[in-house]
């Protein structure tokens, strides 16, 4: 039996589902039951009636699924797959800001550790951050950990005082405006689609700014034929699958999240077989980090 056949057999036998982010390797996306961006996956994890969720993504994603679904077993193919940005804010800084501003809302990008979430008021993803911040009653917002997404939100919601943190995604932040200009010169008809984790310089050149699902949906509804992609290359799998007649260009060979690529079919099979790598959080963390996640799901509706 091939690895894929065995994964399918075990999934059925154990009532398991596979959730995958668009950045994991193509062959893993291919066997997933649900593929999506962080927001979609957090909702999918809640809706499924499976007993086991195999979460193909990085740690904060599996952790969020486990926090939102205490009755389900959440397994991660590789426990070392982590998001560098998830750690880029100090708890001390949050305390400092809370002391400084009485009405402060700590808005936490889902790309953060469970510990950081326990100190936050509401979580957001790149797909719903603007909507949620706009509708909060608070005037002062401390946006953590991503300074780039925070700056983008601040621009979209100028009526609020959005305090920025200096965290960033090393992969998105390294994409350069020069590379965008070079690709635009080579492909003058191509539209530039970018993730808000990129720098402001890149966002200024964009024809569309949005989450990974937002980028995929934009292409689906657009009449153009050529696109320059300003996010991790994993999205190309779905883009090409949905649009075999369109052309996609990248900015460099470094648009790769090495942690997402740690997820392999062999590791998916192994955790399904052995039921190892279960994501566990303490009851205290589940309750305290669950509150801002639940609030996100309610406010983003
Ligand atoms: P999405 O919100 O688009 O899924 O982005 C998650 C992420 O890790 C981007 O780097
Ligand atoms: Fe984190 Fe960046 Fe990887 Fe997304 S691409 S998981 S933000 S390191």
């Amino acid at each position: 039996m091939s690895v894929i056949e065995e994964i399918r057999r075990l999934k059925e036998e154990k009532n398991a589902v596979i959730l995958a982010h668009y950045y994991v390797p193509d062959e893993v996306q291919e066997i997933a039951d649900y593929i999506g961006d962080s927001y979609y996956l957090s909702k999918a994890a809640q809706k499924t009636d499976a007993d086991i969720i195999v979460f193909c993504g990085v740690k904060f994603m599996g952790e969020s699924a486990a926090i939102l679904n205490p009755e389900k077993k959440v397994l991660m193919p590789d426990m070392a797959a982590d998001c560098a940005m998830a750690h880029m804010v100090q708890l001390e800084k949050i305390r400092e800001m809370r002391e400084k501003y009485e009405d402060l809302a700590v808005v936490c990008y889902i790309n953060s550790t469970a510990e950081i979430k326990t100190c936050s008021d509401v979580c957001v993803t790149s797909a719903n951050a603007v909507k949620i911040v706009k509708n909060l009653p608070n005037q002062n917002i401390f946006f953590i950990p991503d300074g780039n997404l925070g700056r983008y939100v601040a621009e979209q919601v100028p009526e609020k005082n959005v305090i920025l943190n200096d965290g960033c995604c090393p992969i998105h932040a390294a994409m350069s405006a020069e590379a965008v200009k070079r690709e635009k010169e080579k492909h003058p008809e191509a539209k530039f689609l970018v993730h808000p984790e990129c720098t402001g310089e890149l966002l200024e050149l964009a024809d569309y700014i949005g989450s990974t699902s937002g980028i995929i949906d934009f292409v689906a509804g657009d009449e153009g034929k050529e696109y320059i992609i300003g996010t991790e290359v994993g999205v190309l799998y779905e883009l090409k699958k949905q649009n075999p007649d369109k052309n996609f260009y990248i900015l460099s060979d470094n648009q790769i999240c090495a942690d997402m690529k740690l997820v392999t079919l062999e590791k998916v099979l192994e955790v399904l077989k052995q039921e190892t790598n279960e994501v566990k959080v303490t009851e205290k963390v589940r309750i305290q980090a669950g509150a801002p996640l639940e609030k996100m799901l309610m406010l983003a509706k």
Side-chain angles (χ1 to χ4, degrees):
M1 210 184 273
S2 72
V3 173
I4 292 177
E5 283 166 347
E6 212 171 331
I7 289 173
R8 295 216 165 105
R9 184 187 65 77
L10 281 169
K11 257 192 347 172
E12 198 141 315
E13 187 187 302
K14 299 191 173 194
N15 188 29
V17 284
I18 299 179
L19 269 60
H21 191 270
Y22 286 124
Y23 296 166
V24 299
D26 297 0
E27 60 278 14
V28 178
Q29 293 189 45
E30 203 172 325
I31 51 117
D33 299 292
Y34 301 91
I35 318 168
D37 67 359
S38 307
Y39 178 44
Y40 171 83
L41 293 174
S42 61
K43 287 186 295 179
Q46 263 203 327
K47 274 194 207 137
T48 176
D49 53 12
D51 298 313
I52 296 179
I53 296 173
V54 179
F55 210 119
C56 300
V58 290
K59 193 171 173 194
F60 75 82
M61 297 179 174
E63 221 169 43
S64 300
I67 289 167
L68 288 166
N69 302 282
E71 73 294 348
K72 291 171 197 156
K73 205 179 232 189
V74 179
L75 309 176
M76 295 210 62
D78 193 321
M79 293 297 242
D82 200 358
C83 168
M85 179 167 61
H87 305 267
M88 291 187 190
V89 63
Q90 305 308 318
L91 297 181
E92 188 47 44
K93 186 100 186 274
I94 301 177
R95 274 182 224 120
E96 219 177 88
M97 289 298 162
R98 285 210 190 273
E99 266 170 33
K100 195 163 169 193
Y101 299 96
E102 224 173 81
D103 78 325
L104 189 78
V106 177
V107 176
C108 177
Y109 192 20
I110 198 166
N111 297 40
S112 52
T113 63
E115 188 188 30
I116 291 170
K117 289 184 177 80
T118 64
C119 305
S120 303
D121 297 303
V122 62
C123 287
V124 296
T125 75
S126 58
N128 56 37
V130 171
K131 179 178 176 182
I132 290 180
V133 170
K134 202 176 250 207
N135 290 318
L136 286 175
N138 317 60
Q139 176 60 23
N140 294 301
I141 309 287
F142 184 30
F143 195 97
I144 54 171
D146 188 7
N148 283 322
L149 179 61
R151 188 207 56 255
Y152 173 66
V153 170
E155 282 164 11
Q156 303 301 307
V157 191
E159 65 275 22
K160 306 251 177 191
N161 175 34
V162 181
I163 303 146
L164 302 179
N165 176 62
D166 61 6
C168 71
C169 162
I171 294 107
H172 285 83
M175 295 179 200
S176 84
E178 285 64 42
V180 179
K181 289 175 193 154
R182 185 197 63 224
E183 289 306 311
K184 280 208 170 217
E185 253 170 51
K186 279 204 271 180
H187 313 285
E189 297 299 315
K191 290 182 182 134
F192 176 48
L193 318 180
V194 68
H195 197 283
E197 286 178 15
C198 290
T199 62
E201 235 190 325
L202 257 78
L203 268 51
E204 271 172 32
L205 300 170
D207 294 289
Y208 173 79
I209 302 167
S211 74
T212 45
S213 293
I215 289 173
I216 289 163
D217 292 346
F218 177 87
V219 174
D222 187 58
E223 284 167 359
K225 289 271 177 242
E226 295 185 290
Y227 305 90
I228 302 162
I229 302 300
T231 189
E232 213 269 358
V233 293
V235 293
L236 293 175
Y237 174 72
E238 186 67 23
L239 284 170
K240 286 178 184 168
K241 193 164 98 180
Q242 287 188 17
N243 309 279
D245 56 330
K246 298 191 180 190
N247 291 318
F248 301 97
Y249 312 108
I250 57 169
L251 301 172
S252 92
D253 293 336
N254 301 325
Q255 277 168 256
I256 296 177
C257 178
D259 283 81
M260 288 281 192
K261 306 306 183 209
L262 288 173
V263 183
T264 65
L265 285 178
E266 288 71 22
K267 292 177 191 171
V268 171
L269 176 58
E270 187 61 18
V271 293
L272 257 178
K273 228 191 244 172
Q274 312 291 348
E275 297 186 28
T276 43
N277 289 4
E278 184 177 352
V279 183
K280 292 210 193 269
V281 290
T282 64
E283 188 59 6
K284 190 172 167 217
V285 166
R286 188 186 69 73
I287 292 167
Q288 290 181 353
L293 280 166
E294 298 274 6
K295 194 165 177 189
M296 171 187 82
L297 294 174
M298 193 185 71
L299 296 178
K301 266 184 200 155

